[in-house]
Amino acid sequence: MTPSDLAPRRLAPDLMVHPLGVSSGTSRWAPNAVQPDDARLLDGLRRALEAGGGEGAAHLFDTADGHRCGHAERLVGKVLKEHRGHRAQVASKVGRVQGSAPHPYAGPRVRHQLEQTLENLYLDELALYTLESWDFGPGDRYLDPVVEQMRALRDLGQIRAIGLRGPGFRSSSRSIRRFLDLFDRICPDVVWTQASGLLPLADLGDEDLGAFTARHGVGLLIASPLAHGALAGGCADRALAAWRGSADHAEAMASAVTHGLAELAGRFGPSSDALARVALRFILQQVPNAVVVAGAGDHQLAGHDLHFLGQPLSDHELGVIDSVFSRIRTVMIQHEGRAPSMEVNA
């Protein structure tokens, strides 16, 4: 029986999904990343889809049109097409792919890109469509038309919820102000961000992004909760890719991650599933309005079956985990001099 704290969560007014979803990945699609292993990703997506369903909700699959110009969407679509009758909900993003338009948000670009995204995914609607970039042209000339388009798409039932990318850990005060201004002007249903034990939710001043979205009755979608696999026992270098510094700094930070994970492994178990359980529950239990999406293909995660997350962590266990992650972050920040930039175009 799945613990009650893992019951379906309301991500948006008409969108109930399991708290643990699936991502086509974030770091694997970076311009300097090695070409992803399509077969491995497809296998992970298939296992996750087959593990979904039940309990009145479905898995959320998160992808983006900017991931190799729709390649990630087409991989997700291939798996969905193979499983006709699936109950998966799919989220994607817009704002990075320009095509032949003068700007990714120019004219009817958002509507046209949604049509292509739906074709890539073999779907008639998206659960969530997120505005990934904060660049709306000079003087925000495209902002109001884009908001009108997004609301029209929601009214027509082509998307169920409007998303806005949120700031990241230690984003600049300028970036935080930009997000808050866009939040007020767009009125999104969901905020999308990246966070993990190594990179916590953004601090907005009086509250973090989790408390902010909860106070506004807005859902929170958290990607990269395992720090690109590092917190499930993967290569620490992947978690440190966003941190700039010398080779000596990178070695010191990798050592801090390795030693911290060894401490957690000694208490909770050394397997990748045990470490993933710790990292995922650490977020899910502290941010009750959040849904997290872990990458498919990077690790087994028991097919993204909620049962592998087991029983809730105690307050004492959460404190131990927080202490370990805090020590790792201290080392990383000391050697870096500043946190990595998680900002989008402002």
Side-chain angles (χ1 to χ4, degrees), residues 231-246:
L231 298 186
C235 178
D237 290 343
R238 295 186 63 191
L240 304 175
W243 297 76
R244 302 181 184 89
S246 68

Side-chain angles (χ1 to χ4, degrees), residues 94-95 103-107 109-110 131-133 135-136 142 146 149:
V94 67
H103 188 277
Y105 288 137
R109 182 78 188 115
V110 169
L131 297 170
E132 187 173 18
S133 170
D135 175 6
F136 291 91
Y142 301 119
V146 163
Q149 286 186 69

Side-chain angles (χ1 to χ4, degrees), residues 44-125:
L45 291 169
R46 289 185 181 108
R47 285 186 288 104
L49 187 61
E50 290 162 2
E55 300 186 30
H59 272 326
L60 179 72
F61 284 68
D62 182 48
T63 187
D65 66 355
H67 292 170
R68 298 283 165 88
C69 293
H71 184 63
E73 289 182 339
R74 288 187 287 275
L75 292 179
V76 174
K78 176 179 175 62
V79 173
L80 296 180
K81 186 179 180 182
E82 293 171 354
H83 294 74
R84 293 296 189 183
H86 65 81
R87 299 181 62 248
Q89 299 289 342
V90 182
S92 194
K93 306 172 188 69
V94 67
R96 297 292 191 192
V97 178
Q98 181 171 333
S100 60
H103 188 277
Y105 288 137
R109 182 78 188 115
V110 169
R111 176 170 55 82
H112 289 168
Q113 188 57 44
L114 175 63
E115 292 172 356
Q116 183 61 63
T117 286
L118 293 174
E119 182 177 330
N120 290 342
L121 294 166
Y122 296 95
L123 293 174
D124 296 323
E125 70 165 18

Side-chain angles (χ1 to χ4, degrees), residues 165-237:
R165 181 163 186 163
F169 174 61
R170 293 284 293 272
S171 286
S172 68
S173 57
R174 174 174 174 267
S175 182
I176 297 296
R177 289 194 301 271
R178 174 64 169 166
F179 164 73
L180 294 174
D181 177 60
L182 290 175
F183 184 90
D184 288 341
R185 296 175 69 177
I186 296 170
C187 298
D189 304 298
V190 179
V191 171
W192 184 101
T193 191
Q194 295 184 50
S196 68
L198 301 184
L199 295 171
L201 291 170
D203 183 353
L204 305 186
D206 296 331
E207 58 191 350
D208 69 13
L209 188 60
F212 174 84
T213 52
R215 179 167 60 84
H216 285 84
V218 169
L220 182 61
L221 181 58
I222 299 176
S224 305
L226 300 179
H228 311 304
L231 298 186
C235 178
D237 290 343

